[in-house]
Amino acid sequence: LALANFQASLIGAEANLLQREAALRNILGLPPSDSQRLVPVTPPSRNRLEINWVEIIKLAEERRPDLIELKLIIEADQQLLLQARNQALPRLDAVALYRWNGLEGETPSGAHISSGSGEFTDWTLGVNFSVPLGLRQGRATVRQQELIIDRDRANLDQGLHNAVHDLAGNTRNLAQFYEQYEAYKVAREAARVNLDQQLAEVQAGRTIFLNFLQAIANWGDTVSAEAQALTQYNTELANLERQTGTILDSHGVHFYEERFGAIGPFGRLAAPRCYPASL
């Protein structure tokens, strides 16, 4: 009965493995099935990650793509606000007119007329100052851009708020999964001691065989639980890197955006970067 139940569970585990492998193949751009076999070679981390909460928050503010996008939107809207304020100012234009009579020929009376080089007949130099009455359109445009910037800042604050809560959840999960891993490791060692003891008792004829089977089942459950907890802990480590926006750099993955690096100040392909602060 135990063997039959194990075989049924094994089928489900193998199916789950195939689903995970198919998802990985999809991400890598590989066909669903071929002659190649994907074998993970990086061992899972068994060390506790000590988290500096202030540094984690600062890192997320600088590296999360969604927060970078919101900051770039604010910078763009600030430039539009500057443009709107300039449009709301009175206009002061310098004007100049410089011309000469370039006609040459005979008049109806038969006289020949012409203007030589440098003989100027007209020039004007002045200043025009103009301002719309009330500046209503210009001031309305400025107010509109100010409201848009306030909205963008509210979106950024909300994005930071969500990021902080996401990181807090990751931190709690990391602590939970690692503590469970440590507890299951102790339980596995205790189950192994119990299994050895029950095996000796069965060989000596002092206990029934069912106790030995139960010890085997308990030991197998603790081994599986320890592996599951360790897997969950490493998965949460990757999730923490994703929430802080550093997972691509951690695995050496870089996107080629465009040569000026204007997508954000963290691109490495554009180094040394010329990222303007105000333009």
Side-chain angles (χ1 to χ4, degrees):
L1 176 61
L3 178 60
N5 290 332
F6 171 77
Q7 290 175 344
S9 300
L10 181 61
I11 295 174
E14 290 176 345
N16 188 27
L17 174 62
L18 293 177
Q19 292 291 343
R20 298 295 183 181
E21 183 176 345
L24 180 59
R25 285 179 173 274
N26 186 16
I27 295 175
L28 296 177
L30 300 177
S33 177
D34 54 23
S35 59
Q36 298 180 354
R37 182 183 179 188
L38 302 179
V39 181
V41 296
T42 303
S45 175
R46 300 176 182 270
N47 300 323
R48 180 190 292 271
L49 177 64
E50 299 296 337
I51 295 180
N52 187 326
W53 179 248
V54 177
E55 293 297 329
I56 286 290
I57 297 299
K58 182 179 179 181
L59 186 63
E61 291 179 358
E62 295 177 353
R63 305 302 296 273
R64 279 178 65 110
D66 55 340
L67 299 183
I68 293 177
E69 180 183 7
L70 293 175
K71 292 178 181 179
L72 291 177
I73 291 175
I74 292 179
E75 292 181 6
D77 288 338
Q78 287 175 343
Q79 299 304 313
L80 294 177
L81 176 61
L82 179 61
Q83 180 180 359
R85 286 176 175 172
N86 291 335
Q87 294 295 331
L89 296 176
R91 296 188 58 177
L92 181 63
D93 300 324
V95 295
L97 178 64
Y98 188 68
R99 66 185 179 184
W100 61 89
N101 186 358
L103 298 177
E104 182 178 0
E106 291 184 358
T107 65
S109 61
H112 182 79
I113 62 172
S114 66
S115 58
S117 175
E119 296 179 358
F120 309 114
T121 60
D122 190 11
W123 65 271
T124 303
L125 183 65
V127 177
N128 287 339
F129 178 81
S130 61
V131 54
L133 295 179
L135 290 174
R136 289 182 294 180
Q137 181 178 1
R139 291 176 179 176
T141 305
V142 171
R143 182 55 179 165
Q144 180 183 9
Q145 285 302 128
E146 291 175 347
L147 293 176
I148 290 176
I149 291 179
D150 290 339
R151 182 194 63 187
D152 294 339
R153 288 175 176 170
N155 291 334
L156 178 59
D157 292 339
Q158 184 62 35
L160 291 172
H161 178 78
N162 294 335
V164 169
H165 279 270
D166 291 340
L167 291 173
N170 294 144
T171 304
R172 290 192 299 268
N173 291 337
L174 283 174
Q176 172 190 345
F177 294 147
Y178 191 83
E179 291 296 336
Q180 287 180 337
Y181 164 69
E182 291 288 339
Y184 284 132
K185 184 166 62 174
V186 175
R188 175 182 56 81
E189 295 173 354
R192 184 65 192 184
V193 173
N194 180 53
L195 176 60
D196 295 338
Q197 178 65 30
Q198 294 300 326
L199 176 59
E201 294 289 339
V202 169
Q203 291 175 347
R206 292 192 296 267
T207 186
I208 60 177
F209 189 70
L210 182 60
N211 292 343
F212 176 60
L213 291 179
Q214 186 64 39
I216 293 177
N218 292 336
W219 176 74
D221 291 340
T222 55
V223 170
S224 177
E226 180 188 4
Q228 290 287 344
L230 183 61
T231 302
Q232 289 177 328
Y233 175 70
N234 282 266
T235 301
E236 200 62 29
L237 286 176
N239 192 26
L240 179 63
E241 290 184 338
R242 185 177 64 87
Q243 295 294 342
T244 55
T246 60
I247 189 169
L248 296 182
D249 288 341
S250 299
H251 295 81
V253 179
H254 307 288
F255 289 105
Y256 180 81
E257 298 293 348
E258 45 96 9
R259 59 180 179 173
F260 297 109
I263 194 67
F266 300 106
R268 295 183 179 180
L269 293 176
R273 299 180 299 276
C274 180
Y275 191 74
S278 59
L279 298 181

